[in-house]
Amino acid sequence: MKWILLLLLTSSPLLNLFANEPDSAYIFAYSTGKQDNKAGLHFAWSRDQKTWHAIGPEFAFVKSDYGVWGAEKRMFSPVLTFGPDGYWHALWSVNDQDPTFAYAKSPDLVRWIPQEYPILHHRDNCTELEIQGDGTGKQYILSWIGNHTGSEKFFSTSTTDFKHYTPVKKADEGIRINQRTQANIANRTETGTMHKVSWKLIDGLIKHVQVSKYRNAQHAELMRDDPTRFRDLHQLEANITVQANESKAISDKLIGIFFEDINYAADGGIYAELVQNRGFEYQPTDRKNDPNWHSKTAWKTTNSDVSFEIETASPIHENNKHYAVLTVNKVSAGLQNEGFDGISLKANAKYDFSVFAKTIDGKDGRLKIRLLDEHGTIYGETTTGALTENWKKHEAVLVSKGDVSNGRLEIIPQAEGKIALDMVSLFPQETFNGRKNGLRRDLAQVLADIKPRFVRFPGGCVAHGQGIENIYHWKNTIGPLEARKPQRNLWGYHQSMGLGYYEYFQFCADIGAAPMPIVAAGVPCQNSEKCDHPIGGQQGGIPLEDMGAYIQDILDLIEWANGDPKTNKWAKMRADAGHPEPFNLKYIGVGNEDLISEVFIERFQMIFDAIKEKYPDIVVIGTSGPWSEGSDYERGWEVATELGVPMIDEHYYQTPGWYIHNQDFYDRYDRSKAKVYVGEYAAHLPNRATNMETALTEALHLINIERNADVVSMTSYAPLLAKEKRTQWSPDLIYFNNDEIKPTVGYYVQKLFGVHAGNEYFANHIELNHTDEAVRKRVACSVVKDEESGDIIIRLANLLPVGVSSKVTLDGLLTETAKATKMVLSGQPDADKAQPATAEITVEKDWAYEIPPYSFSVIRVSNPK
Ligand code: AHR
């Protein structure tokens, strides 16, 4: 297949081979309605407007990005026009309800500028759009039919730039130009628009499809085909020369972690609280109006002597409106909480219980508190002090007399009558670093073991939220737990905010990692469910008049983290919470893989300018959208370059083949532009498994990144945590349940890079006794030095089914035999339980090393002389 690419990519002299080509021909632009209208915009070409040649066929040159994944992202009745500005302008309807449409433009029909979804009026949907010049070559007239009320109405507007539109007018049918026509393409009658264009443009479309197909085939390569792909391959030999005199400084923050409350990573996960729905704040709206998800979820009464209802009349705090009111007819029964898939108790461990309670009918009974297993056996018991008429926090310590994995917490009122309860909490005393309101020790430790240099939080999509009201506001997450403002988690559950900004920053301080909060760039997630906000269509955006307050919140965050408690009220809150020293906040991410629309750009710039002006030392991290190429990626980089943003957050979840065939991705980057933070990445197999194949691919990618760690400053695999049976996204780095932690093979790759990091990189050269590119691309090496210890770290990845007998020349790096630790992760591609095997070895200047098949080796040479 390689020759095809060569032909495609080789320029002008070869074009003469096709001297019979026409100067111009016709293209037909259409969408088919296939894949529930999600298949995108297609082209066919013709010389005579009769015989049409489908390009692709049905290749998606641009897809609609409007609305949520799954249900939306649909394209109806696209129309195209070529403007005097040298751009193609495309419009299409996004559905049959929303008062908006999609607009995109392109210089060549291949590269598209990010889409916009203008809302020009608020009543009618926009179907069957048409676009025409007004005859002056200066402005475009748009018209459409609004029909969602049943009757058809015609509307029109005009624009010169597709950013500003004249007020929408009702029009009559006469305005329509019947822009669409029909063409027979592959025996189907398609409706679309026809345009006479240069052959060069058509040729560009055809070649783009061919290159895409070639690349897709490469990216689809999987190790399961290795027995065929490498059937004649035998043990290989390699000379690996490390060039001691060719070194460069690299980032000392390369490996970090991305924490998002997805897959129950926070509540029910790393946040050690054992009571589910402790504040009775779950709401059906957390889960698209799920009637089975409400204030009583996870709670039940143990018999009919007690009943309970949810009230809101006099809460402890307005942010935490709901509380339970128990009516006790006979002292015997209680209210039980099932925890998050049960409560895990450890023998002899101590648990802090607390509850806000009050009597409603004047009786001053106490509460008996019990730890139970699922059969009702009591494992611990205590009694609180007497309840009072006003809300009061009661605390007690319970000790579990045994191990229980599916336990319950029971509260049994000791007097008849009515009482109110809220913020019922059971917390293991043993948390990570013994922090109050802290993190589950085993889970936090497995993260600390990676030695991450930074922690990104709170997302991901959780950071920018689903709709403006769902944007994550850090101020709602600090202070007393009962005053924090819980909210819907866009992954389909609830965020108590018990794990809030103070806890995130404290964790960073505890593990010596730089905190990296991500704030929304004034826009919510572009995949949000319908957003009928008048500003900016689907993506929406905080109204400009509210942006000042929003920006102030971000500036306050910097003060809260770094300021002087004596002079700043936010810093004082940090100190009062237990951290008088600054948290040394240096990085703030603004935006999360957003659509780089005008709405985004305007708000991003406002935030960026404000931070830069007041805190020039803070590194603002911008975004280049959700992909490693395409319109948002290009526009994101363009905007960041224009504004001088110092670092860009790139996201891409790619197939193993992508990583193998894009090893020079960062070698191509312009070193004079922004640094890169690879904020979300992972190798995705078609079945989303995580195993040696994905782990080796990620190791290969990190080796390539390490070579480019003068431009790539930071990386974080995503997502990090996933609770078994509560997983919305696969694969993840670490799976867990209430009792066990199950790191994936990929976890060990992160750990091998994190623990054995360097800050100086040495170039190397691999001379393999095989010329096939497919083979050569699957062996990689990286050598770094950790200045602090003086150790040299050698990494070798072998993604082949055969071993490589290698001679590693470390000339200039060591003269004497040195002690080293060898850590090798190896196994068949589908092995999902592999762990590194460690051995102590010696290494000399010319060192022979057998690289095992399908392996990733890290050799740490101790302070070589
Ligand atoms: O990592 C999971 C999700 O992937 C993140 O929330 C989002 O940023 C990305 O699309």
Side-chain angles (χ1 to χ4, degrees), residues 258 260 262 456 460-462 491 592-593 651 653 680 718-719 729:
F258 161 96
E260 172 165 29
I262 181 174
R456 169 196 177 125
C461 288
V462 159
W491 295 107
N592 174 62
E593 58 172 51
H651 293 183
Y653 297 94
E680 292 184 30
W729 179 292

Side-chain angles (χ1 to χ4, degrees), residues 118-174:
I119 293 183
L120 304 182
H121 72 144
H122 293 272
R123 289 174 305 278
D124 291 280
N125 57 342
C126 309
T127 73
E128 299 300 313
L129 286 127
E130 288 191 344
I131 178 170
Q132 52 184 299
D134 72 341
T136 67
K138 291 200 180 116
Q139 69 173 1
Y140 305 87
I141 296 172
L142 275 54
S143 71
W144 63 89
I145 302 174
N147 60 9
H148 84 297
T149 51
S151 63
E152 284 197 341
K153 286 176 245 164
F154 297 89
F155 297 96
S156 76
T157 181
S158 58
T159 181
T160 53
D161 56 5
F162 294 92
K163 288 181 185 163
H164 307 94
Y165 296 85
T166 56
V168 173
K169 286 194 301 206
K170 275 202 172 161
D172 60 44
E173 202 171 347

Side-chain angles (χ1 to χ4, degrees), residues 428-442:
Q429 283 192 350
E430 264 187 18
T431 57
F432 184 70
N433 254 16
R435 298 287 171 201
K436 283 269 176 219
N437 192 46
L439 306 184
R440 195 174 133 177
R441 199 163 73 166
D442 51 356

Side-chain angles (χ1 to χ4, degrees), residues 185-288:
I185 301 166
N187 287 333
R188 272 172 57 106
T189 303
E190 304 291 0
T191 303
T193 55
M194 199 190 299
H195 313 266
K196 190 166 188 197
V197 298
S198 69
W199 176 255
K200 204 169 148 217
L201 185 109
I202 297 175
D203 195 41
L205 298 179
I206 295 170
K207 283 185 173 147
H208 175 69
V209 171
Q210 289 169 338
V211 171
S212 297
K213 285 187 175 168
Y214 176 80
R215 291 178 66 209
N216 289 345
Q218 284 190 326
H219 298 170
E221 285 177 11
L222 294 170
M223 287 181 182
R224 69 170 178 228
D225 299 323
D226 283 359
T228 319
R229 183 179 297 114
F230 299 121
R231 67 179 158 264
D232 297 326
L233 197 65
H234 300 291
Q235 178 83 8
L236 294 163
E237 285 175 17
N239 284 322
I240 301 173
T241 316
V242 183
Q243 281 137 352
N245 53 1
E246 224 181 284
S247 76
K248 63 179 171 189
I250 58 168
S251 166
D252 61 356
K253 295 216 166 12
L254 204 54
I255 303 295
I257 54 178
F258 161 96
F259 184 90
E260 172 165 29
D261 187 3
I262 181 174
N263 310 315
Y264 278 66
D267 292 313
I270 200 167
Y271 180 52
E273 174 63 80
L274 295 168
V275 175
Q276 185 178 186
N277 193 11
R278 69 179 173 195
F280 305 96
E281 296 298 325
Y282 281 19
Q283 295 304 314
T285 46
D286 293 342
R287 286 163 54 116
K288 297 190 180 157

